[in-house]
């Protein structure tokens, strides 16, 4: 974490961006599925708006510019001026991809955004924003969900900046020409009103929260004053007497009249960061603002409020600012300062008073209620891990204590025994809860996939629909993080190799649009990820041919369908005749399989020709604990991962044979599997184990090969906390990790695959020969 | 400074660094006291397969899987099987924590860097690669200052 506070804030911003972008995409997908819920559209708008706001604060101009165009279109959609139809949503989805790219580029995490792509989408978005709809639509009364005072002048707002080249976040307005005809036939009252741009009347009523988040009303007023000459009135009628005064409450209302030709956007920009914490109404001074009933705005003002203005203008703004700045903390100050204004404004000048109720009654800014999100906190992962470690120790200590008590001969029914039992239950509960902290829904990975599918579909010219399910399935954070690459790869594979092109699909009697399913579910203590397509399935003769061609299998090898399907996991296998840039980049399914295996998972495939293929990943829910079989070998206690064990049995001498008189194999159900003496393989013993009393565990490696592990005894099954050997030492061949058993001793967890393959690759040693003799 | 350290420390002059001295067989070595986290008695270790002879295995140090290095064997000295009288010095080596098996901890020494002499050429290459320098203490004893950075096997090179 950086020491620079600005960098820290920026990091937080990007973190939030990630969440916002995820929300954005999720909501867009909801829209794509046909929802027209205004809340969803609002949520999209808010997400884009927040990204833009934050980006503005950090001066990320490219991002701001793009977000602005996006936001403008969203504004049109949420106001109902533009229909939220399918093509629009499709464009929005692609725009959200580019927005994500902009964010990544701004963060320095991604390549700079292709300007042509960005510009292309900007043009598309603008075309949707400005084009197509008749100007009549703009004149329709607007419902503004954000509770801003009805403005009815978006077109005007866009016109104004034409004369204001200094507005930073507006696009270069290529549509100005297209806009002109809209305003030209213009007896439209709204447009003319806004075009006058004679200034703004701003009623600003801060909420207590505004002060609480350390905002200064004084600074805001000063900002406004920078846009043009201002007249500021302070309404302190809400201010209670001193003894009833709650210093942290907000009692003051400002009415600011801003002259000059500042655009509404500029005015709003001043309030950009406090918008949510105040009641704000911005109405054109000269226009027929909703509350103003005066015949001619300008005249009304000169007459009725002249006195008020005279009075208020006497107040030096600086003096006002000074008292305002002190308002939240030193309430008495404004009390002393304002009486001068108050009596003048109230009795004498009805028009401003008439205008004043506006902020009080309608238009609360929080019109769009935030979706009831669960309350969450951000916690440094390191802290969570420390807690998990400590709980791991607790579990071990508890087990040790229990063992000592048993050893000391105390009865289970004794008070201590009963207390220990409760302790054990509690410990388990704590452990489960702590593990749950690290558990995360796979949603964060799944959410990235629609984009990937869109891009893959575009690149291959296929039509693809992605259907996901089980996004809320939870799994350890480390597992979630490392799922992304394999899923990405397999989805691309499904689209590139699995699905057929539209014509081919139609010819096969399938819908032109292919379906790829991505599902997550819990199954017997593991998480299962399924990726299936309704494509052509695996072409077994072809797969076989390629495997033979690449020398992966012998030409005359007899393989079952399953075995042929599994050939695609072999290193160096790629069925794509041409190397496309999607998949087939040399790294194939073998890489996927390896990365899954490194997580303690398995991958399998089933396929029906012409119907499609399904890849199934099965992974442990956590990498912190493991279900293991505690075994003894050569006076050492070892743990074998339960997931790898198929069954255990007591071997008989007659079942053991020696291949070439050297390598021992065990006859197991009509098949011969290599026999590995664990104690010997681990170097605990030179001599082969006496077969008498020994036990064999049949294990299956991740690649599906079986082997028999010979151990002295099986002690039982238990859950163990995984401790890495690498933390303080280094990787040890044949050892996956270590754990601490109930007696406080360290036990090694076997790396089954390494044991089995090491056994096979080794040249026969003397001890093997002895065993053979 | 605790009274114990004072009684243990014959060389109070020029106290630039504090070293903890220990015995392996008849020889005395020392390491910087700041790198030693704790000293504990020997407990049987779980052996690791395919490890060099000086790797005694791993023990459970309050939940930490701690590798134990027989320092004498690492230096190429004669060592006997560890007994309960042997001592494990738990020391930081870089970001890692290792247990160093030695015969006994003998002293805490304070001396200035100036008192440390370079290792003479008579020492064997293996010892020299671990010894940063030597110095004399009262009673004519000679103590070798150990560089702990090299006691752990180079993880990449040897694991490959």
């Amino acid at each position: 974490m950086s020491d620079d506070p600005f960098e820290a804030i920026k990091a937080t911003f990007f973190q939030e961006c990630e969440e916002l972008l995820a929300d954005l995409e999720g909501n867009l997908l909801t829209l794509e599925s046909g929802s027209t819920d205004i809340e969803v559209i609002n949520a999209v708008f808010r997400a884009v708006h927040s990204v833009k706001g934050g980006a503005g604060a950090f001066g990320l101009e490219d991002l701001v510019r793009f977000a602005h165009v996006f936001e403008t279109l969203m504004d049109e959609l949420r106001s109902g001026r533009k229909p939220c139809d399918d093509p629009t949503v499709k464009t929005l989805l692609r725009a959200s991809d580019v927005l994500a790219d902009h964010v990544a580029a701004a963060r320095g995490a991604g390549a700079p955004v292709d300007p042509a792509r960005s510009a292309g989408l900007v043009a598309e978005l603008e075309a949707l924003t400005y084009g197509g709809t008749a100007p009549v639509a703009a004149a329709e009364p607007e419902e503004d969900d954000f509770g801003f005072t009805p403005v009815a002048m978006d077109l005007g707002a866009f016109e104004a900046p034409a004369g204001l080249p200094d507005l930073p976040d507006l696009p270069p307005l290529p549509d100005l020409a297209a806009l002109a005809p809209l305003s030209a036939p213009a007896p439209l009252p709204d447009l003319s009103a806004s075009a006058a741009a004679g200034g703004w009347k701003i009623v600003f009523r801060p909420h207590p929260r505004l002060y609480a988040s350390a905002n200064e009303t004084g600074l805001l007023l000063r900002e406004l004053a920078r846009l043009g000459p201002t007249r500021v009135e302070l309404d302190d009628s809400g201010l209670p007497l001193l003894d009833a005064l709650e210093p942290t409450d907000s009692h003051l209302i400002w009415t600011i009249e801003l002259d000059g030709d500042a655009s509404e956007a500029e005015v709003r920009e001043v309030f950009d960061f406090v918008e949510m914490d105040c009641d704000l109404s911005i109405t054109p001074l000269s226009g027929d603002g909703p509350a103003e009933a005066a015949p001619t705005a300008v005249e009304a003002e000169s007459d009725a409020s002249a006195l008020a203005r005279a009075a208020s203008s006497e107040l030096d703004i600086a003096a006002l600012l000074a008292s305002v700045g002190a308002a939240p903390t030193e309430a008495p100050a404004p009390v002393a300062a304002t009486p001068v204004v108050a009596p003048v404004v109230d009795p004498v000048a009805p028009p401003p008073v008439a205008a004043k109720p506006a902020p009080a009654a309608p238009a609360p800014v929080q019109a769009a209620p935030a979706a009831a999100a669960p309350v969450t906190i951000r916690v440094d992962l390191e802290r969570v891990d420390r807690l998990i470690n400590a709980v791991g120790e607790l579990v071990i200590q508890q087990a040790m204590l229990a063992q000592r008590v048993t050893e000391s001969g105390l009865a289970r029914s004794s008070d201590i025994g009963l207390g220990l039992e409760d302790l054990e239950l509690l410990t388990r509960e704590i452990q489960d809860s702590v593990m749950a902290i690290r558990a995360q829904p796979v949603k964060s990975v799944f959410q990235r996939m629609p984009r990937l599918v869109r891009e893959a579909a575009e690149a291959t010219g296929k039509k693809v629909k992605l259907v996901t399910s089980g996004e809320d399935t939870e799994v350890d954070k480390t597992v979630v993080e490392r799922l992304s690459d394999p899923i990405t790869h397999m989805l691309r594979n499904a689209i590139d190799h699995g699905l057929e092109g539209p014509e081919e699909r139609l010819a096969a009697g399938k819908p032109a649009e292919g379906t790829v399913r991505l599902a997550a579910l819990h199954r017997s203590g593991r998480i299962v990820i399924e990726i299936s397509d309704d494509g052509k399935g695996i072409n077994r003769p072809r797969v076989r041919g390629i495997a033979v061609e690449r020398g992966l299998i012998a030409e005359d090898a007899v393989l079952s369908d399953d075995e042929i399907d599994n050939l695609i996991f072999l290193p160096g296998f790629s069925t794509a005749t041409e190397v496309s840039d999607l998949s087939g980049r040399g790294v194939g399914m073998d890489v996927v399989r390896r990365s899954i295996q490194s997580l303690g998972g398995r991958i399998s495939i089933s396929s029906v020709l012409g119907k499609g293929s399904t890849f199934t990943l099965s992974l442990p829910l956590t990498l912190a604990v493991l279900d293991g079989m505690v075994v003894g070998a050569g006076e050492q206690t070892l743990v074998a991962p339960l997931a790898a064990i198929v069954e255990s049995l007591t071997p008989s001498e007659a079942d053991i044979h020696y291949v070439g008189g050297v390598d021992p194999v065990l006859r197991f159900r009509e098949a011969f599997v290599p026999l590995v003496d664990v104690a010997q393989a681990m170097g605990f013993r030179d001599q082969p184990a006496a077969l008498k009393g020994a036990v064999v565990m049949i294990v299956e490696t991740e690649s599906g090969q079986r082997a028999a592990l010979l151990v002295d005894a099986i002690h039982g099954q238990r859950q163990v906390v995984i401790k890495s050997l690498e933390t303080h030492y280094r990787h040890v061949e044949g050892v996956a990790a270590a754990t601490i058993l109930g007696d406080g001793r360290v036990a090694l967890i076997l790396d089954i695959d390494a044991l089995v393959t090491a056994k096979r690759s080794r040249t026969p040693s003397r001890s093997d020969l002895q065993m053979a003799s | 400074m605790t009274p114990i350290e004072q009684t243990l420390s014959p060389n109070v002059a020029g106290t630039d660094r504090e070293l903890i001295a220990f015995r392996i067989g008849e020889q005395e070595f020392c390491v910087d006291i700041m790198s030693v986290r704790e000293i504990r008695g020997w407990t049987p270790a779980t052996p690791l397969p395919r490890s060099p002879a000086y790797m005694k295995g791993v023990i459970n140090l309050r939940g930490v899987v701690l590798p134990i290095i027989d320092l004498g064997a690492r230096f190429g000295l004669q060592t006997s099987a560890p007994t309960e009288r042997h001592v494990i010095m738990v020391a930081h080596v870089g970001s890692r924590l290792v247990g160093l098996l030695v015969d006994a901890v003998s002293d805490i020494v304070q001396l200035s860097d100036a008192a440390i002499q370079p290792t003479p050429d008579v020492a064997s290459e293996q010892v020299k690669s671990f010894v940063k320098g030597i110095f004399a203490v009262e009673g004519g004893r000679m103590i070798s200052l150990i560089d702990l950075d090299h006691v752990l096997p180079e993880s990449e090179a040897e694991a490959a």
Side-chain angles (χ1 to χ4, degrees):
Chain A
M1 198 158 285
S2 170
D3 291 334
D4 184 351
F6 188 74
E7 280 303 313
I9 298 170
K10 210 165 167 180
T12 311
F13 163 66
F14 283 123
Q15 239 170 20
E16 283 168 0
C17 268
E18 217 155 86
E19 288 166 21
L20 289 167
L21 289 170
D23 283 354
L24 174 66
E25 182 157 6
N27 283 318
L28 285 176
L29 290 173
T30 314
L31 290 179
E32 193 188 23
S33 67
S35 163
T36 50
D37 188 353
I38 187 74
E39 271 314 310
V40 178
I41 298 178
N42 275 333
V44 172
F45 175 83
R46 280 197 300 274
V48 180
H49 181 76
S50 305
V51 170
K52 183 184 114 176
F58 293 107
L60 307 169
E61 285 187 18
D62 287 349
L63 177 54
V64 170
R65 219 167 292 137
F66 187 84
H68 179 79
V69 181
F70 198 156
E71 183 190 10
T72 312
L73 176 55
M74 284 318 299
D75 195 36
E76 293 290 303
L77 294 176
R78 75 191 172 101
S79 64
R81 281 187 297 265
K82 298 278 187 247
C84 189
D85 51 13
D86 198 47
T88 310
V89 174
K90 288 268 194 299
T91 308
L92 290 175
L93 273 167
R94 275 183 296 124
S96 81
D97 296 346
V98 175
L99 186 67
D101 288 346
H102 272 293
V103 170
R107 169 194 271 183
V113 184
D114 177 10
R117 184 157 172 246
S118 179
L121 263 166
V122 165
E124 276 187 64
L125 290 172
E126 282 175 344
L128 282 166
T129 309
Y130 305 113
T133 320
V136 189
E140 279 169 13
E142 299 166 30
E143 27 169 315
D144 193 329
D145 304 280
F146 269 54
F148 299 135
T149 323
V151 181
M153 50 171 311
D154 291 56
L155 288 175
F158 275 102
E159 238 178 20
L164 291 172
D166 56 340
L167 204 62
D169 61 354
L170 278 169
L173 288 176
D175 298 276
L176 206 59
L179 250 179
L182 293 187
S183 44
L188 293 170
D190 305 41
L191 286 174
S192 59
S194 59
W200 301 94
K201 178 191 184 96
I202 302 140
V203 183
F204 170 47
R205 178 165 167 261
H207 297 168
R209 210 144 56 99
L210 181 137
Y211 295 115
S213 36
N215 287 301
E216 274 257 26
T217 47
L219 292 178
L220 295 171
L221 295 180
R222 202 174 295 156
E223 272 302 310
L224 270 184
R226 218 169 270 166
L227 296 176
T230 52
R231 294 173 299 282
V232 182
E233 286 169 17
L234 173 65
D235 174 12
D236 66 347
S237 52
L239 198 67
L241 290 176
L242 194 54
D243 55 352
L245 186 75
E246 176 59 49
T248 55
D249 264 1
S250 168
H251 308 285
L252 305 175
I253 303 168
W254 282 269
T255 307
I256 304 113
E257 291 179 356
L258 172 68
D259 283 342
D261 47 7
S263 72
E264 189 189 347
E266 284 176 298
V267 176
R268 282 210 182 274
E269 207 178 314
V270 171
F271 293 97
D272 213 345
F273 287 98
V274 297
E275 228 170 16
M276 304 304 280
D277 295 327
C278 66
D279 296 336
L280 186 65
S281 101
I282 301 175
T283 45
L285 258 187
S286 50
D288 38 31
E292 306 262 356
T296 322
V298 182
E299 270 177 38
E301 205 180 56
S302 59
D303 288 342
S305 61
L307 189 49
R309 208 190 313 157
S312 60
S313 60
E314 270 170 30
L315 264 176
D316 181 3
I317 288 191
L320 190 63
L321 289 177
S323 66
V324 163
T329 41
E330 278 175 64
V335 176
T338 44
V340 190
V341 184
V344 182
V345 175
D346 281 336
V348 186
V353 176
K356 227 185 284 168
V365 178
Q366 64 274 54
V375 181
T376 57
I377 54 169
R378 275 177 217 271
V379 180
D380 199 343
L381 190 60
E382 196 187 314
R383 292 189 191 187
V384 175
D385 286 347
R386 227 184 301 151
L387 178 64
I388 288 177
N389 268 337
V391 172
E393 301 323 314
L394 181 67
V395 172
I396 292 163
Q397 280 298 328
Q398 183 271 329
M400 283 168 66
L401 191 59
Q403 194 161 339
R404 298 277 148 77
V405 168
T406 317
E407 281 165 11
S408 71
L410 275 171
R412 278 199 147 236
S413 56
S414 67
D415 283 352
I416 291 180
L418 292 176
L420 264 180
E421 240 164 67
D422 288 346
L423 181 65
E424 184 179 347
L425 287 177
L426 262 177
T427 322
R428 288 226 162 253
E429 198 179 315
I430 293 174
Q431 192 179 19
D432 289 348
S433 319
V434 167
M435 290 303 176
I437 295 179
R438 270 190 69 102
Q440 287 197 324
V442 291
K443 199 188 225 158
S444 57
V445 173
F446 277 27
Q447 262 170 345
R448 277 178 247 163
M449 298 307 154
R451 164 175 192 177
L452 183 120
V453 169
R454 278 198 298 281
E455 288 177 350
E458 213 168 300
T460 54
K462 296 174 182 175
K463 289 187 170 174
V464 187
K465 184 169 77 183
L466 176 71
V467 180
T468 57
S469 64
E471 291 98 330
D472 292 326
T473 312
E474 288 194 335
V475 65
D476 188 85
K477 185 175 162 55
T478 330
V479 181
V480 173
E481 281 163 1
R482 290 163 71 177
L483 272 178
S484 175
D485 283 353
I487 293 182
T488 305
H489 204 90
M490 285 192 296
L491 275 181
R492 281 193 181 141
N493 228 55
I495 293 165
D496 204 16
H497 303 317
L499 291 181
E500 316 91 326
E503 298 82 24
E504 200 182 327
R505 286 185 65 87
L506 288 172
K510 298 184 198 178
E513 189 180 49
T515 306
V516 176
R517 279 173 210 281
L518 175 61
L521 56 145
H522 279 152
R523 191 184 290 159
S524 60
R526 288 170 82 84
I527 182 169
V528 174
I529 310 270
E530 281 180 354
I531 292 144
S532 52
D533 61 71
D534 64 348
K536 50 186 180 250
I538 287 184
N539 183 344
R540 296 207 173 93
R542 186 148 158 259
V543 164
R544 201 198 142 90
I546 289 169
V548 171
E549 189 184 306
R550 311 244 155 124
L552 300 170
I553 54 168
E555 206 164 332
D556 54 353
V558 183
L559 297 173
S560 67
D561 284 358
D562 248 17
E563 283 169 322
I564 293 175
D565 290 350
N566 277 296
L567 288 176
I568 64 166
F569 293 118
L570 288 177
F573 188 96
S574 182
T575 54
T577 21
E578 296 160 35
V579 173
S580 68
D581 70 326
L582 259 189
S583 50
R585 235 171 291 165
V587 298
M589 294 306 284
D590 63 310
V591 176
V592 173
R593 187 175 69 179
R594 229 177 301 138
S595 64
I596 296 296
Q597 283 172 359
S598 71
L599 289 170
R602 293 148 182 256
I603 183 168
S604 62
I605 178 174
S606 67
S607 179
V608 180
L609 192 64
K611 299 267 186 205
S613 317
T614 301
F615 286 91
T616 309
L617 306 180
S618 149
L619 291 155
L621 291 179
T622 166
L623 304 179
V625 294
L626 171 101
D627 280 311
M629 189 70 88
V630 182
V631 299
E635 292 173 15
Q636 295 298 327
T637 307
L638 298 162
V639 178
L642 204 60
I645 300 175
V646 181
E647 64 178 271
S648 55
L649 52 96
T650 318
S652 75
E653 196 80 50
D655 289 334
I656 297 179
H657 302 267
Y658 298 93
V659 178
V662 178
D663 289 321
V665 290
L666 178 80
R667 188 190 164 103
F668 172 67
R669 299 214 184 117
E670 308 311 313
F672 290 98
V673 293
L675 181 70
V676 181
D677 180 350
V678 173
Q680 208 180 352
M682 298 284 281
F684 297 151
R685 170 167 70 200
D686 288 336
Q687 297 301 310
L691 213 46
K692 203 167 180 226
V695 189
V696 156
M697 293 184 294
I698 304 293
V699 294
E700 197 174 84
T701 64
E702 298 296 352
S703 48
Q705 294 158 329
R706 289 191 169 183
L709 298 186
L710 187 72
V711 295
D712 297 350
I714 289 181
H715 297 314
Q717 181 188 331
R718 62 171 297 172
Q719 199 174 55
V720 297
V721 178
I722 298 174
K723 301 262 175 192
S724 167
L725 272 182
E726 277 108 290
T727 318
H728 295 297
Y729 186 48
R730 64 177 196 199
H731 177 73
V732 176
E733 187 76 25
V735 178
T739 188
I740 295 165
L741 293 180
D743 60 3
R745 300 251 341 235
V746 177
L748 302 179
I749 300 173
L750 295 173
D751 181 345
I752 303 281
D753 277 44
L755 263 186
V756 173
T757 49
K759 168 76 185 172
R760 290 158 117 225
S761 61
R762 205 166 33 134
T763 48
S765 69
R766 194 166 50 87
S767 51
D768 286 320
L769 291 169
Q770 275 177 350
M771 193 169 183
S773 62
Chain B
M1 174 149 313
T2 65
I4 291 182
E5 282 178 356
Q6 270 169 347
T7 54
L8 277 175
S9 310
N11 304 23
V12 191
T15 59
D16 278 346
R17 41 161 100 204
E18 269 189 301
L19 304 166
I20 190 156
F22 51 89
R23 271 194 315 103
I24 300 172
E26 296 302 308
Q27 299 201 38
E28 269 191 284
F29 299 90
C30 66
V31 293
D32 195 310
I33 201 165
M34 296 311 290
S35 62
V36 177
R37 197 172 96 169
E38 66 180 278
I39 295 168
R40 64 197 320 271
W42 163 257
T43 44
T46 302
L48 293 173
R50 299 183 190 88
S51 294
Y54 58 80
M55 267 307 305
K56 284 290 162 194
V58 286
I59 64 164
N60 166 23
L61 179 75
R62 290 183 304 278
V64 173
V65 175
L66 185 76
I68 304 296
I69 290 174
D70 183 340
L71 212 49
R74 182 75 174 121
F75 295 163
L77 306 173
Q78 283 289 328
T79 53
S80 48
T83 65
E84 279 177 24
R85 294 180 170 206
H86 282 74
V87 168
I88 292 172
M89 297 196 313
V90 182
H92 292 283
V93 177
S95 60
R96 294 166 181 212
L97 211 54
V98 287
L100 304 173
L101 176 68
V102 300
D103 288 357
V105 171
S106 53
D107 205 347
I108 288 175
V109 186
Q110 293 175 328
L111 83 165
S112 65
D113 283 341
I116 301 173
Q117 305 165 19
T119 321
D121 273 342
V122 293
S124 77
E125 282 304 312
Q126 194 171 9
V127 171
K128 263 173 77 179
S129 61
F130 302 111
V131 175
K132 268 196 281 197
I134 57 168
F135 57 90
V137 292
E138 263 174 27
R141 289 146 61 210
M142 185 198 80
I143 302 185
S144 308
L145 179 62
I146 301 297
D147 183 0
L148 284 183
D149 291 343
H150 298 299
V151 299
L152 265 182
E154 296 301 322
S155 43
E156 299 312 317
E158 292 195 27

